[in-house]
Amino acid sequence: MTELSFADRFFVFQARTLERAVLRFVAPQRVLRVLFAISTRLGGKMPRGMIPIRDEHDGLWFRPDGVDRDAPVILYIHGGGFTIGSPRTHAPLVGALAKATGLRAYAARYRLAPEHPFPAARDDVIAAYERLVEAGTPPVAIAGDSAGGCLALSVLQHARDAGLPLPKAACLIGPVADLSGGIEERFAGATNELLIPPEWPARIEQVYLPGIHPTDPIVSPLHGDLTGLPPTLIQAAEGEALAQDSARVAEAMGDATLDLWPGLMHVWHLHAGFMPSADGAIGQLADFIKARL
């Protein structure tokens, strides 16, 4: 990637000073959901003329101008630590990916903890995948960021083991892949982590996995079998804590490419339309998908 622009540096500064403090000191998930929704609405920009359409499952459909109504579909699973976020918070990211690929995209909604702990989120995204298959539109690609990357891996493992059609490509952005092994210490030890404080993943584990052992493969995909899955591109910020998970996933999958971006924060892609580095990274994801169709 090229040198960071002024806009890139502005959003990195905001993540390091403001958003990191919010995640550290604001504990109630309902409050964080509101703040995250405001932040993403102000910090990302939808492609011109694209209006997401909500379906009966509260997911969002994205179709760029000029793209057929029956064009192939990308399934996108949003992040947010299993407790915040929605298809709407990630709309600029998903819309930009749909436009860059010239495909339709579907952002699935899933239930959030603490109101709905594991396995609610996993059940919901698997159901969304199966609905697309049953409708005759199995996803040609699946993508997800952070917790959504964890859920995307879980969907792929389920589809492979259940004999469902697999996508031709997968794209993961800073995926969570292992919720075991002292996750708080891993984040505390990542001295170049610009966004997520150690307190955040520790709180997430408490509300998302009450009574569930974090080494269970259906919780932490890295403890399961990651072979036999589609070609995968994994992007992460070079210094972030989840770059460790990203590298381990790439090694375990075999047919996976790890792409680390220096100087950026976790899931900088959320600032699509404003950050040149976000637009560039999404463009690379789109090129990876198109090359495998």
Side-chain angles (χ1 to χ4, degrees):
M1 62 170 289
T2 59
E3 183 179 351
L4 296 184
S5 69
F6 174 80
D8 291 328
R9 294 196 300 272
F10 170 80
F11 283 106
V12 168
F13 174 80
Q14 177 177 277
R16 186 174 61 243
T17 58
L18 176 60
E19 295 171 356
R20 184 176 174 88
V22 168
L23 290 176
R24 170 172 287 152
F25 297 114
V26 180
Q29 300 300 331
R30 292 180 180 86
V31 176
L32 284 175
R33 289 171 196 167
V34 173
L35 295 176
F36 187 50
I38 294 171
S39 172
T40 53
R41 181 179 292 272
L42 297 176
K45 184 167 63 175
M46 285 288 297
R48 186 184 300 274
M50 187 178 295
I51 301 176
I53 304 299
R54 188 173 68 177
D55 71 358
E56 65 270 25
H57 303 284
D58 269 348
L60 290 181
W61 282 95
F62 300 78
R63 183 169 65 89
D65 288 342
V67 171
D68 291 342
R69 294 182 180 276
D70 59 351
V73 178
I74 301 168
L75 173 61
Y76 193 91
I77 305 174
H78 72 81
F82 308 100
T83 61
I84 65 175
S86 68
R88 183 66 62 181
T89 61
H90 286 59
L93 193 171
V94 184
L97 184 61
K99 182 176 181 180
T101 55
L103 302 173
R104 294 186 297 158
Y106 179 67
R109 179 179 287 276
Y110 57 86
R111 288 168 291 171
L112 302 174
E115 298 91 340
H116 304 284
F118 182 86
R122 182 178 185 270
D123 290 346
D124 290 350
V125 294
I126 287 175
Y129 189 91
E130 292 179 340
R131 285 196 302 269
L132 291 171
V133 171
E134 291 167 2
T137 55
V140 296
I142 188 169
D145 65 278
S146 196
C150 179
L151 294 171
L153 285 170
S154 195
V155 169
L156 288 172
Q157 290 170 319
H158 169 80
R160 177 201 59 201
D161 296 343
L164 297 174
L166 283 170
K168 298 182 182 298
C171 295
L172 307 175
I173 303 170
V176 177
D178 186 2
L179 287 160
S180 69
I183 192 168
E184 184 175 3
E185 289 74 18
R186 298 212 309 269
F187 273 81
T191 56
N192 290 320
E193 171 61 59
L194 301 178
L195 176 62
I196 304 176
E199 295 86 353
W200 167 250
R203 290 199 303 263
I204 295 306
E205 192 170 37
Q206 291 172 6
V207 300
Y208 179 59
L209 298 177
I212 308 294
H213 200 283
T215 59
D216 192 316
I218 63 173
V219 169
S220 297
L222 265 170
H223 289 271
D225 181 9
L226 291 176
T227 62
L229 302 181
T232 301
L233 175 59
I234 306 170
Q235 291 180 337
E238 188 173 59
E240 69 168 304
L242 287 173
Q244 303 170 37
D245 281 29
S246 299
R248 292 169 63 198
V249 169
E251 182 177 2
M253 292 187 77
D255 192 359
T257 301
L258 177 62
D259 184 19
L260 297 178
W261 291 57
L264 295 168
M265 65 290 197
H266 181 58
V267 195
W268 68 97
H269 310 61
L270 286 169
H271 301 294
F274 288 135
M275 278 182 77
S277 60
D279 296 334
I282 292 170
Q284 289 189 11
L285 296 176
D287 289 342
F288 183 85
I289 292 171
K290 289 188 292 184
R292 282 149 187 84
L293 297 186

